Amino acid sequence: MTVLPTNFVPEPLATSAAATVTLLAPTARFSLRVWPEDRARLSAALTLELPVTIGQRARGTAPDGTEALCVGPDEWILVAPDGAGPAIEAACGDAYCDAPHSLVALPDREVSVRIEGPKAAELLTLGCPRDLDALIAGQGRRTVFDGVSVILWRDAAQEFRLDVWRSFAPHVLALLETGCRELALD
Amino acid sequence: MTDFRVPGRGRVDHDRPVKFRFDGETIHGLSGDTVASALLAQGRHLMGRSFKYHRPRGPVAAGSEEPNALIGTSRGRGRFEPNTRATVQEIFPGLKATSQNKYPSLKFDIGAVNDRAYMLFSAGFYYKTFMWPRSFWDRVYEPFIRAAAGLGVSPDKVDPDHYASRNLHTDVLVVGAGPAGLAAARTAAEAGLRVTLVDENAEVGGTLLSEPQAMIGGQAAWDWVAAELAALEALGVRVMTRTTAIGYYHQNMVGLCQKLTDHLETPNPDMPRERLWRVRASQVVLAQGALEKPLVFDGNDRPGVMLAGSAQTFLNRYGVRVGDRAVVVTSHDSAWYAAFDLADAGTRIAAIVDTRVEPRPDLMAEAAARRIKVLAGHTVSGTAGRLRVKSVRVNRVSGGTVGFGRQIDCDCLLMSGGWTPSLHLFSHTKGSLKWNETQNTFLPDHVTEACQIAGAGRGLWGIGAALNDGAAMGAAAARALGREAEVGTTDVGNDRPGTGTSHTELPTDRSAARARAFVDFQNDVTAKDLRLAVREGMRSIEHVKRYTTNGMATDQGKMSNINGLNIAADALGKPAPQVGLTTFRPPYTPTTFGAFAGYHRGTHFEATRKTPIDGWAEENGAVFEPVSQWRRAWYFPRKGESMDDAVLRECRTTRESVGMFDASTLGKIEVVGPDAVEFMNRMYTNPWTKLQPGRARYGLLLGDDGFIRDDGVIGRLSDDRFHVTTTTGGAARVLNMMEDYLQTEWPDLKVWLTSTTEQWATIALNGPNARKLLEPFVEGLDISPEAFPHMAVGECTVAGIPARLFRVSFTGELGFEVNIPARHGRALWETLFAAGQAFDICTYGTETMHVLRAEKGYIIVGQDTDGTVTPQDAGIGWAIGKAKPDFVGKRALQRPDLVAEGRKQLVGLLTADGATRLEEGAQIVLDPKQPVPMKMVGHVTSSYRSVAAGRPIALALLEGGHARMGETVHIPMPHGVVAATVTGTVFHDPEGARLKL
């Protein structure tokens, strides 16, 4: 049984010839909710075009800019470098009167891991019932892993990020660690 | 012992001998053998004893349909498995196999006395024989029956193996890698689709492994299989062997069980034993082939009596002749080829007995060329031999009259009653079947899933027919998915297509009532049992099945269903299609519990949610309890303390100085938007409009039935933003309920809900010294009593960490709840705990929290309520905003039943002796002297020893309780009746002065 860092210090958690799982450092993270008619105003505030198709992502123009993932018809996950939170809150706050919305800071709700390696996608099939071939690089999904709700970002063919609520992380990470070992045997 | 191995024959490796043990004896087999083929190679057919009669049994089949040769296998400590099919278990050095259902030995078994008494053990004998006296059933009859019957011995150790599971999406899943399946996979893959091909055998090829004589497109069958396999792999087809499609579920989800290590001598310990695949396929091609049907005649179960096709498999695939002198009895052409193959390999064929009067001339000619005697228009009326068949009794049938029997000596009897398409998976989909008159069997008819059935599985006979149909069905699957697919025709030489007729029991000149003519070998069901069931009034095939156990259990009627149906239909005097077939159920073959459980065992059985402070609690000796998925600190015993000691100390310290509590598991929902306050007004009973930002209020949530669903303290952070808390267990439910109303009832409201439960770690400080402890760490907020009164909320930093601070109390003491981002939870906890030493701070767990709140009469939803309690019942009618036009549950609260007098209401109880603590859940009566059954008027919901009250206290739901103040009620318990006085629910500081410190 893997011992997971209870303090969630970023570090490699499991590695094998099949895949490597690394705990990532915290980032700024928000849930943004806004009705379609006010989306453009928020896009302007965030200097990125909030995507309208579920699963699509967009990134702000600045280097390390804010990244938005559409997870519902009026719902986006925003991710930005740690420390960028107050600026995002301020920018959206200025738009609130014109474009009412909900922006809730969630930097600590989830922890994130990177899953990469030659069998990264296959590793995810241990717990994710979705067709991962349909999740193309550069997209993301809200889905489940081993019965736990997660946000899954595909950054490259064999590179994923997985966000999971903090208290579920040990359960999810334990299976990823088991899978790293198992897949290396195939 | 005679060697029945044919040198150079089969797919076993003659240069790689493998030793294993069977019943303690060393057996020499070859790499590629199964336990059955290795034993048969030594001339041993006897492999087990039957279920009910303990009759000697040997393999009747060569594959997973085998009903008889069930063995125990042991692969090392704790790795014992009963009821493994000897025809499936591959041998490896070190395998220990044992026969089953025998005592003291396989060759001499005391339980075989059941066989002598077989007239007593007819269908339903349990119900008829063991009726009286009734009291004997539980203690005498049932234990005896269970000990005497049964199949194998259950493992009694924890399974040391581990199991895996995967999800797989594929365009086309092909089940069965015989000629039809291979061709289907090839066609679909060439159309550019993702294809998965599975087969339960150790290698692909299916029937081609048993028919090497076939020439496919000019290639020998086995060369063709190898070439096809290479081509499939080059096309990217996922080919999985030792993988059984166990169940076909809704919307083309198919469960596969892949066996990974059972055939290995020294598997890598990290390798799972089995893997369960959950496959979602856009199209499924079922190419499972057909199963050979036994003939039903007296003595058809003796070791040495075997399906002809299986004998052919043992010869061609394993290089084993199943005997030296064979008699073949058949109603189908296919068995003739088995006879010819065996004859060519050196087995003497004493006779081919065909029930048909005029067998095919070309077969007759081939038999004549081999000097095989043919008895056409004959029947078999019995066999002889104790542990192995030694002769068969054969009679001529002419004009419906069965002539005298004559005996033919043999050491094996090969039978064929024709072939039954394997309909199991198709049957799982509830696809309908249609009776085929010429083949006398059911074939797939109406298809309910995105599925094609290919080859012998839909009644096509012969390699060429199956192969070309497979290609066509692979193309059909591809076209259904919008692809072009080319289908050619492959020529197959040396093919052996054939036809046959079907029988119920074979005709006999002997008394049918005394015949031991088995239909279901595994469950020891005879033709006589089936006819008896019909005579005794069973009309539905489902009743016949259950009365006789025909086709039940692990076998799922692979061999018995059609014979059983034909006999039952005959007994009922109805055509078979009117009687119908029983349902095949998953799994197709027995599957381990481990495979179903997968990774979910031990510490990974279920997610155990832990708070950021959990680690500290563990290091500091907390005892935990589960609360929904969370584990929470229950109490913090010091050395030598019992639970009661610890809880009393924690209560005392908190009331006298300060205690700290990890409240992180409380559900939290952020409600944001211009319509936030309107939404809150509609959801909760309380009024929210006048609640100022910076203030908090107790919120009560009802269902539309008016009953309490949840509660919690809710803070207004700004005009448009609320911080809602819920109960720990209610967090997800409340958010779902809110979303449900928002999306379906009030989609016009501009308000959004976000779960923030895990964003925050929550530390509760309670006790008269709480402010003294906290104040030095707070910046950006004045928390003096005047500036920050009870039920206030504000944003600040605590020890430099940004925080949402509530002044709130669930203990009746001065209390604060500090919410900080989860990553800082433990650090702040440690900081406050260190600083709290100056106040003799204690940490407390959920038990003390429960006691402290009960002393104040604060309810816990789900403990003091049970889904039928209204706010008035619970004594919290004050939480209802009377002036509000509406809220969820408002109209229900006006229903006559909900305003009626005498409802169960929440009250306090104090035991009359001042010392007895009541038991939670105990029932309450008004008159303890009334006759049993007494009228119960309520029950105890919460009960604790209370330091503050100086005596045990309890809360209870009591009929008309609010009008019974001061009355005495009674709680009957096993050790006597306890009297208690009805009181209010507040036992401590009724004025609430301590909250205002």
Side-chain angles (χ1 to χ4, degrees):
Chain A
M1 195 66 204
T2 340
V3 177
L4 293 158
T6 49
N7 52 0
F8 296 101
V9 173
E11 60 180 72
L13 294 170
T15 187
S16 76
T20 298
V21 179
T22 313
L23 195 58
L24 296 173
T27 59
R29 196 188 327 253
F30 294 90
S31 168
L32 172 66
R33 306 288 300 274
V34 63
W35 282 5
E37 57 264 37
D38 295 327
R39 182 181 55 85
R41 178 70 187 83
L42 267 296
S43 292
L46 291 163
T47 63
L48 59 77
E49 185 65 28
L50 288 169
V52 290
T53 306
I54 293 173
Q56 298 286 342
R57 284 154 63 173
R59 189 186 275 280
T61 46
D64 290 335
T66 305
E67 191 166 24
L69 165 66
C70 181
V71 288
D74 65 348
E75 185 176 4
W76 291 263
I77 302 289
L78 305 180
V79 172
D82 202 21
I88 292 172
E89 283 178 315
C92 292
D94 290 344
Y96 185 82
C97 289
D98 302 342
H101 63 272
S102 162
L103 184 76
V104 177
L106 300 163
D108 285 48
R109 185 175 71 173
E110 281 107 344
V111 293
S112 301
V113 290
R114 182 187 298 118
I115 299 159
E116 61 198 324
K119 292 189 178 175
E122 199 162 357
L123 175 58
L124 287 165
T125 69
L126 269 65
C128 182
R130 283 194 85 111
D131 184 357
L132 292 170
D133 288 353
L135 169 58
I136 58 177
Q139 294 191 353
R141 294 285 188 281
R142 177 158 50 203
T143 179
V144 294
F145 185 85
D146 202 20
V148 176
S149 181
V150 298
I151 304 278
L152 188 61
W153 310 68
R154 189 169 206 165
D155 293 326
Q158 295 292 358
E159 185 185 335
F160 296 84
R161 264 176 296 149
L162 181 143
D163 308 334
V164 56
W165 284 15
R166 181 172 291 264
S167 70
F168 289 105
H171 182 84
V172 165
L173 296 177
L175 182 55
L176 289 172
E177 200 272 345
T178 301
C180 273
R181 214 169 40 227
E182 183 188 316
L183 265 68
L185 299 172
D186 289 357
Chain B
M1 198 162 268
T2 328
D3 193 355
F4 287 84
R5 189 77 69 176
V6 185
R9 189 81 177 246
R11 299 181 69 80
V12 289
D13 189 343
H14 292 262
D15 298 326
R16 287 181 56 206
V18 173
K19 280 192 290 190
F20 69 102
R21 292 175 84 78
F22 180 71
D23 279 348
E25 194 183 327
T26 300
I27 308 290
H28 298 264
L30 297 177
S31 174
D33 262 329
T34 61
V35 170
S37 68
L39 288 169
L40 289 171
Q42 306 208 338
R44 295 176 62 147
H45 278 253
L46 177 63
M47 294 185 198
R49 291 270 176 174
S50 75
F51 173 62
K52 195 158 86 175
Y53 301 121
H54 286 235
R55 284 168 68 93
R57 292 280 170 83
V60 65
S64 70
E65 73 274 30
E66 170 59 32
N68 276 343
L70 306 183
I71 55 170
T73 58
S74 178
R75 297 168 293 107
R77 190 172 162 69
R79 293 186 163 88
F80 172 79
E81 183 180 89
N83 297 328
T84 304
R85 283 141 176 78
T87 50
V88 168
Q89 176 65 53
E90 298 167 61
I91 62 167
F92 55 84
L95 170 69
K96 291 195 185 92
T98 47
S99 58
Q100 296 188 156
N101 288 10
K102 46 47 153 79
Y103 177 83
S105 78
L106 185 54
K107 289 185 180 167
F108 176 77
D109 169 45
I110 287 173
V113 61
N114 287 5
D115 193 33
R116 303 275 166 79
Y118 74 97
M119 294 302 270
L120 296 180
F121 286 77
S122 56
F125 83 97
Y126 299 144
Y127 318 118
K128 290 180 288 206
T129 312
F130 297 108
M131 288 275 281
W132 295 280
R134 172 66 188 83
S135 61
F136 269 40
W137 178 258
D138 291 337
R139 271 184 293 167
V140 182
Y141 295 147
E142 190 181 346
F144 168 76
I145 293 166
R146 288 199 185 278
L151 220 47
V153 181
S154 295
D156 57 0
K157 305 233 171 12
V158 172
D159 184 348
D161 283 311
H162 56 107
Y163 298 82
S165 50
R166 298 260 176 99
N167 294 283
L168 176 68
H169 289 260
T170 189
D171 297 324
V172 181
L173 171 68
V174 182
V175 179
L182 286 167
R186 176 82 183 256
T187 311
E190 283 177 344
L193 294 166
R194 297 181 297 179
V195 178
T196 305
L197 173 65
V198 301
D199 195 285
E200 61 176 349
N201 285 283
E203 53 179 336
V204 302
T207 191
L208 296 173
L209 302 178
S210 306
E211 297 210 40
Q213 85 291 337
M215 297 295 291
I216 303 173
Q219 267 182 308
W222 290 359
D223 295 336
W224 183 83
V225 170
E228 282 301 292
L229 186 59
L232 293 178
E233 277 166 5
L235 284 163
V237 174
R238 187 188 282 262
V239 180
M240 294 197 280
T241 54
R242 299 187 181 94
T243 304
T244 306
I246 57 170
Y248 193 152
Y249 307 96
H250 291 293
Q251 295 175 336
N252 264 23
M253 177 162 165
V254 179
L256 309 176
C257 182
Q258 181 182 28
K259 290 183 189 295
L260 296 165
T261 62
D262 273 7
H263 61 293
L264 300 176
E265 181 186 1
T266 48
N268 185 324
D270 283 340
M271 182 70 100
R273 181 182 174 214
E274 293 174 359
R275 181 179 290 136
L276 188 80
W277 292 80
R278 296 181 180 87
V279 182
R280 277 94 173 169
S282 304
Q283 283 275 317
V284 171
V285 178
L286 295 176
Q288 297 172 279
L291 297 170
E292 196 167 15
K293 233 177 359 175
L295 289 166
V296 181
F297 56 88
D298 184 28
N300 64 346
D301 67 324
R302 264 182 233 291
V305 183
M306 181 183 278
L307 293 166
S310 299
Q312 191 178 332
T313 293
F314 282 118
L315 176 66
N316 290 326
R317 189 167 161 197
Y318 298 100
V320 175
R321 293 183 300 114
V322 296
D324 275 333
R325 187 181 161 87
V327 171
V328 176
V329 54
T330 185
S331 64
H332 193 274
D333 298 337
S334 65
W336 291 67
Y337 295 108
F340 301 155
D341 282 0
L342 273 164
D344 297 346
T347 292
R348 166 132 193 253
I349 308 297
I352 295 176
V353 180
D354 199 314
T355 63
R356 299 170 295 178
V357 179
E358 288 182 16
R360 238 165 60 190
D362 62 313
L363 296 175
M364 296 284 281
E366 284 226 41
R370 292 175 174 85
R371 300 176 181 281
I372 298 173
K373 181 175 9 175
V374 174
L375 299 170
H378 275 61
T379 183
V380 167
S381 58
T383 62
R386 195 171 77 86
L387 300 177
R388 174 83 178 259
V389 65
K390 66 178 186 195
S391 69
V392 51
R393 196 164 172 274
V394 178
N395 316 51
R396 175 184 296 279
V397 183
S398 58
T401 309
V402 179
F404 290 114
R406 62 167 152 149
Q407 182 178 306
I408 304 176
D409 291 342
C410 63
D411 65 359
C412 61
L413 173 59
L414 311 182
M415 59 181 167
S416 177
W419 297 77
T420 305
S422 186
L423 300 169
H424 293 69
L425 286 185
F426 181 72
S427 180
H428 296 173
T429 68
K430 284 284 171 192
S432 64
L433 303 173
K434 191 173 187 179
W435 183 255
N436 182 291
E437 277 301 334
T438 50
Q439 299 192 34
N440 224 16
T441 195
F442 283 105
L443 296 179
D445 187 26
H446 179 65
V447 177
T448 60
E449 295 281 350
C451 144
Q452 321 287 335
I453 301 104
R458 63 184 193 101
L460 298 171
W461 194 242
I463 292 167
L467 194 153
N468 287 311
D469 190 48
M473 291 305 153
R479 283 194 287 267
L481 298 177
R483 301 294 176 114
E484 302 280 327
E486 293 291 320
V487 192
T489 305
T490 307
D491 289 327
V492 176
N494 294 341
D495 202 355
R496 294 165 162 183
T499 58
T501 60
S502 181
H503 294 279
T504 57
E505 302 96 318
L506 289 188
T508 180
D509 58 331
R510 290 174 161 173
S511 161
R514 302 200 77 86
R516 319 286 271 283
F518 286 88
V519 176
D520 183 332
F521 294 79
Q522 191 175 96
N523 293 306
D524 263 354
V525 180
T526 63
K528 187 190 74 165
D529 293 325
L530 292 164
R531 292 187 182 276
L532 179 68
V534 171
R535 274 207 307 282
E536 294 192 344
M538 308 300 148
R539 290 293 174 269
S540 153
I541 192 71
E542 297 287 351
H543 288 152
V544 171
K545 168 179 170 175
R546 279 154 189 81
Y547 197 59
T548 60
T549 70
N550 193 64
M552 304 236 303
T554 67
D555 191 56
Q556 285 295 304
K558 290 188 188 63
M559 276 190 198
S560 61
N561 263 18
I562 291 290
N563 278 335
L565 166 64
N566 283 336
I567 291 167
D570 184 51
L572 285 162
K574 286 185 187 172
Q578 274 185 32
V579 177
L581 205 55
T582 56
T583 311
F584 300 101
R585 294 199 167 79
Y588 177 68
T589 49
T591 308
T592 61
F593 286 121
F596 288 115
Y599 301 106
H600 293 259
R601 60 180 296 183
T603 52
H604 200 75
F605 179 67
E606 247 252 69
T608 300
R609 303 176 69 183
K610 296 175 187 172
T611 75
I613 297 157
D614 177 274
W616 188 94
E618 185 169 313
E619 289 161 28
N620 286 274
V623 176
F624 293 94
E625 70 164 342
V627 180
S628 67
Q629 280 180 304
W630 293 93
R631 77 162 195 175
R632 300 192 70 182
W634 194 10
Y635 56 98
F636 289 83
R638 288 184 181 161
K639 214 178 168 90
E641 271 186 342
S642 68
M643 177 174 173
D644 272 1
D645 296 340
V647 171
L648 290 177
R649 173 183 50 75
E650 291 169 9
C651 287
R652 189 180 299 115
T653 306
T654 304
R655 292 248 183 260
E656 288 174 0
S657 179
V658 63
M660 64 195 285
F661 174 68
D662 179 5
S664 304
T665 64
L666 281 184
K668 302 168 200 79
I669 300 167
E670 196 125 320
V671 178
V672 182
D675 292 325
V677 71
E678 176 61 20
F679 177 75
M680 293 300 294
N681 278 333
R682 294 186 194 180
M683 281 313 301
Y684 281 83
T685 62
N686 320 64
W688 300 95
T689 309
K690 290 181 183 162
L691 184 73
Q692 294 302 307
R695 291 291 178 267
R697 178 166 285 169
Y698 172 78
L700 185 62
L701 183 72
L702 309 183
D704 55 11
D705 50 16
F707 296 131
I708 295 172
R709 287 289 195 284
D710 203 82
D711 66 355
V713 168
I714 294 160
R716 190 167 192 175
L717 301 172
S718 68
D719 282 343
D720 292 358
R721 187 177 293 255
F722 288 82
H723 178 115
V724 173
T725 67
T726 74
T727 58
T728 294
R733 201 165 49 234
V734 170
L735 182 60
N736 286 345
M737 178 178 163
M738 287 181 173
E739 278 290 356
D740 195 355
Y741 274 97
L742 187 55
Q743 292 181 26
T744 63
E745 302 292 328
W746 314 315
D748 54 308
L749 292 189
K750 276 201 176 179
V751 59
W752 298 273
L753 315 170
T754 306
S755 173
T756 53
T757 303
E758 297 227 37
Q759 164 63 22
W760 305 104
T762 306
I763 300 171
L765 293 173
N766 279 275
N769 287 322
R771 186 183 294 104
K772 282 186 213 155
L773 168 59
L774 183 63
E775 204 157 24
F777 295 101
V778 175
E779 286 181 23
L781 189 68
D782 178 359
I783 64 165
S784 65
E786 304 72 33
F788 200 64
H790 183 52
M791 297 307 245
V793 59
E795 295 187 86
C796 57
T797 64
V798 178
I801 303 162
R804 279 186 189 168
L805 182 63
F806 282 74
R807 182 170 166 192
V808 60
S809 173
F810 199 41
T811 59
E813 302 297 328
L814 168 65
F816 297 91
E817 285 182 7
V818 190
N819 293 277
I820 61 268
R823 78 185 80 162
H824 301 298
R826 180 163 175 172
L828 183 62
W829 177 272
E830 288 176 355
T831 300
L832 293 173
F833 184 71
Q837 297 308 310
F839 305 97
D840 293 324
I841 193 170
C842 77
T843 54
Y844 67 91
T846 50
E847 187 66 17
T848 292
M849 178 266 281
H850 282 186
V851 177
L852 296 175
R853 65 86 204 176
E855 289 171 344
K856 288 291 294 178
Y858 299 149
I859 63 164
I860 289 188
V861 174
Q863 176 165 345
D864 302 300
T865 71
D866 61 2
T868 67
V869 176
T870 67
Q872 285 85 358
D873 296 341
I876 47 177
W878 54 261
I880 294 174
K882 309 265 182 317
K884 289 206 298 181
D886 202 3
F887 57 84
V888 174
K890 181 178 168 76
R891 270 163 284 180
L893 288 178
Q894 282 139 30
R895 284 170 50 216
D897 280 359
L898 267 60
V899 296
E901 300 283 309
R903 289 180 55 79
K904 284 188 183 170
Q905 293 157 341
L906 194 72
V907 296
L909 289 182
L910 293 172
T911 48
D913 64 4
T916 306
R917 190 176 74 84
L918 293 170
E919 207 165 294
E920 288 176 358
Q923 298 292 324
I924 302 166
V925 302
L926 296 179
D927 173 12
K929 298 195 173 68
Q930 63 184 302
V932 174
M934 299 189 189
K935 175 167 168 47
M936 297 178 285
V937 293
H939 71 279
V940 177
T941 60
S942 294
S943 179
Y944 310 96
R945 296 191 189 289
S946 165
V947 179
R951 57 182 298 161
I953 59 166
L955 299 175
L957 284 168
L958 179 65
E959 272 183 24
H962 292 162
R964 292 188 190 278
M965 291 299 144
E967 289 182 20
T968 300
V969 294
H970 302 272
I971 296 96
M973 296 301 294
H975 54 269
V977 176
V978 182
T981 307
V982 180
T983 71
T985 56
V986 184
F987 301 95
H988 179 64
D989 185 25
E991 299 77 30
R994 302 177 66 87
L995 285 171
K996 298 173 187 139
L997 286 176

